[in-house]
Amino acid sequence: MPNYPTNQANLKSKAITQGAQRSPNRAMLRAVGFTDGDFDKPVIGIANAHSTITPCNAGLGGLTARAEAAAKAAGAMPQTFGTITISDGISMGTEGMKCSLVSREVIADSIETVCRGQSLDGILAVGGCDKNMPGAMIAFARLNIPAIFVYGGTIKPGHLNGKDLTIVSSFEAVGEFAAHRIDAQQLLAVERKACPGVGSCGGMFTANTMSSVFEAMGMSLPYSSTMAAEDAEKADSAARSAEVLVNAVRKQILPEHILTKKAFENAIAVVIAVGGSTNAILHLLAIAHAMQVDLTIDDFEAMRSRVPVFADMKPSGRYVVTDLHRAGGIPQVMKMLLAHGLLHGDCLTITGETLAETLKNVPTEPRADQDVIRPFNKPIYAQGHLAILKGNLAPEGSVAKISGIKHTKFTGPARVFDSEEDCMQAILEQKIKPGAVLVIRYEGPKGGPGMREMLSPTAALMGAGMGDSVALITDGRFSGGTYGFVVGHVAPEAAVGGTIALVNEGDSITIDADASLIQLNVSDAELARRRALWKPPAPRYTRGVLAKYAKLVSSASLGAVTDA
């Protein structure tokens, strides 16, 4: 059980026990609308991540208002406050992307700080981008007060020439343009159509993966993770979430009751079934750390052999999340897993029901009039698409996403780049030859710092038609929109002297997902010689948030947490 104090008393009980010294506190609250009777009510915090800096979060203000009104009608006193967002899609491929994973910690710290500082009785977080989602859940685990997450909703797909578009379509179009497969006019057409409105990126990328995770773990309401941001049901779900939270405060349903080891195993099963993002591994490890649940990367590999991928989702599949919603959403996926003994139905949810009770009216087989969710015995992949690879190149482990590839084994000569920009330039200048293993290093949690996502180079390779002919490994991360023969989270990272720092141009590298192996084909004696000559690079940042992060952050194999 986490060693975090919990606040189980409302403001009035504190005022009674602490006597007249609380009068100034009440006076402050009167200034924001409290009256005499309100001090008997639970005080609910609503963490609002609204901003217009990203379409993922541009609609959150309205959801916050609905949740606030519903909480008040349910007998609580809601108090709203803001938290931040970095748009991965906007910062991708730039120096700014180094702030993305950092923002997860800033968000977690900010929500924890407000809830502790104001002695809140419960917390509802409204978020819609990659990092405010796990950031909020990390804060929930640390605080251990009744909590619920409201997802801002997915974006609806763009359309061009009869095809659905997502933001990844735009990144891939850059590679197509560089390879002269499309012209500038076609590139601009994709850009104009890819993102038609508000909401998080439309495929089973990181945001939609994490919303699915929270629903699977019982920390969000059923069906809420796949709703479109612009649809009325999204706002109705936000209001219902506030009502459920008020009830959870009264019944003292706490994160420690919900976020158990079984709940994390349920989350992993759902991530695999829907073909979710590699980032789910990093974030689930961090949430488990905050909840003091014993979860390791080996748990993901153990689940991979048992769970098939049976939802046909982009980036490697055909459908977007609005299609999944119409096909039955995450409850349909979970019921199929439950029916085949791959889900713990006795796990508690924030509603007070168990998962099995929540899913009791969901059919065990998907509807025949759709093919987004395949029958369990006719999956897209017979086992999971996220493989944990280890070997001399990654003794602590690495994460391979092997969906959408023709082969699970690859051996080739290394092309070594000490930054994402250097690799991207080589791709756009068509200097990458088939058969190569691209190595992007010094992009890990400490070395970047910030562990940037490599969507720009991976999407450019796909757009150039090289997705099956080259492999890419990095101590950085990948976007949920990435697919192809890619391996990220290589640990230990280059900046701390991991083997990836010792790779030379032309070295042979083997990646074998079937054998869970990532191997630098160089003798131990030669590696020892190189290690003796290696010197750590100077920090890229010496002041500010990135410098602080680099000093504190753990290995990716532990979730890249900052309070280890």
Side-chain angles (χ1 to χ4, degrees), residues 287-495:
I287 297 164
H289 169 78
M291 201 73 250
Q292 294 189 8
V293 169
D294 182 20
L295 189 75
T296 72
I297 59 172
D298 295 327
D299 290 305
F300 293 84
E301 184 64 15
M303 190 69 74
R304 180 173 82 95
S305 64
R306 300 171 56 208
V307 180
V309 180
F310 54 83
D312 191 5
M313 306 302 299
K314 288 180 180 290
S316 60
R318 294 180 293 164
Y319 293 105
V320 294
V321 168
T322 50
D323 298 319
L324 177 62
H325 188 63
R326 287 189 291 269
I330 296 303
Q332 180 63 77
V333 172
M334 287 196 293
K335 186 59 174 280
M336 293 168 65
L337 291 168
L338 180 65
H340 289 84
L342 296 170
L343 199 78
H344 302 289
D346 58 342
C347 286
L348 184 68
T349 74
I350 189 63
T351 66
E353 291 186 319
T354 65
L355 272 181
E357 290 169 337
T358 300
L359 300 171
K360 63 185 177 183
N361 294 323
V362 179
T364 56
E365 294 296 330
R367 297 197 320 267
D369 64 349
Q370 59 79 48
D371 61 353
V372 182
I373 304 174
R374 300 270 191 93
F376 191 87
N377 62 354
K378 296 180 181 179
I380 300 162
Y381 304 106
Q383 62 178 16
H385 64 300
L386 301 179
I388 303 300
L389 310 184
K390 294 184 179 181
N392 69 350
L393 195 47
E396 293 179 11
S398 61
V399 181
K401 189 173 186 179
I402 55 176
S403 52
I405 61 174
K406 295 178 180 178
H407 309 288
T408 55
K409 299 178 183 179
F410 197 105
T411 296
R415 290 295 316 278
V416 181
F417 304 94
D418 286 348
S419 72
E420 178 187 0
E421 287 85 356
D422 289 347
C423 182
M424 187 65 179
Q425 182 177 349
I427 295 169
L428 295 180
E429 293 178 356
Q430 298 182 283
K431 294 181 178 179
I432 303 300
K433 304 300 181 185
V437 178
L438 281 59
V439 179
I440 305 177
R441 62 190 182 190
Y442 296 106
E443 291 285 7
K446 287 184 178 292
M451 206 179 178
R452 284 192 289 185
E453 292 180 348
M454 303 294 148
L455 178 59
S456 291
T458 58
L461 288 169
M462 283 292 176
M466 301 184 71
D468 291 317
S469 61
V470 300
L472 190 153
I473 69 172
T474 180
D475 52 8
R477 296 182 294 131
F478 292 113
S479 163
T482 291
Y483 62 107
F485 212 131
V486 296
V487 184
H489 307 201
V490 171
E493 63 175 288

Side-chain angles (χ1 to χ4, degrees), residues 59 133 156 167 201 205 212 262 319 398 445 448 547:
M133 303 175 73
K156 293 181 178 180
I167 185 59
C201 299
F205 310 149
S212 301
K262 286 183 177 181
Y319 293 105
S398 61

Side-chain angles (χ1 to χ4, degrees), residues 32 46 106 149 249 265-266 271 335 338 365 433 502 524 556:
V32 294
I46 300 180
V106 175
F149 188 85
V249 171
E265 290 174 346
N266 287 347
V271 169
K335 186 59 174 280
L338 180 65
E365 294 296 330
K433 304 300 181 185
L502 310 180
D524 291 345

Side-chain angles (χ1 to χ4, degrees), residues 106-229:
V106 175
I107 293 159
D109 292 351
S110 69
I111 294 174
E112 180 189 2
T113 301
V114 171
C115 290
R116 289 196 191 284
Q118 302 306 128
S119 301
L120 299 180
D121 297 301
I123 176 67
L124 179 151
V126 186
C129 206
D130 291 9
K131 305 310 175 300
N132 57 43
M133 303 175 73
M137 196 64 68
I138 290 168
F140 292 175
R142 291 177 185 170
L143 290 160
N144 202 31
I145 59 176
I148 194 167
F149 188 85
V150 173
Y151 181 41
T154 185
I155 197 172
K156 293 181 178 180
H159 301 284
L160 182 66
N161 300 326
K163 294 182 178 181
D164 285 347
L165 299 180
T166 68
I167 185 59
V168 175
S169 306
S170 186
F171 281 94
E172 291 181 356
V174 172
E176 291 179 289
F177 176 72
H180 307 295
R181 301 173 74 185
I182 61 172
D183 60 24
Q185 187 174 4
Q186 291 171 299
L187 175 62
L188 183 59
V190 173
E191 176 197 313
R192 286 172 171 167
K193 298 290 186 178
C195 297
V198 300
S200 297
C201 299
M204 191 52 72
F205 310 149
T206 302
N208 284 322
T209 298
M210 295 312 297
S211 69
S212 301
V213 160
F214 296 169
E215 183 178 330
M217 298 180 87
M219 294 296 290
S220 292
L221 295 188
Y223 298 99
S224 65
S225 67
T226 53
M227 293 175 178

Side-chain angles (χ1 to χ4, degrees), residues 483-509:
Y483 62 107
F485 212 131
V486 296
V487 184
H489 307 201
V490 171
E493 63 175 288
V496 299
T499 307
I500 192 171
L502 310 180
V503 180
N504 286 345
E505 189 83 7
D507 283 348
S508 172
I509 292 175

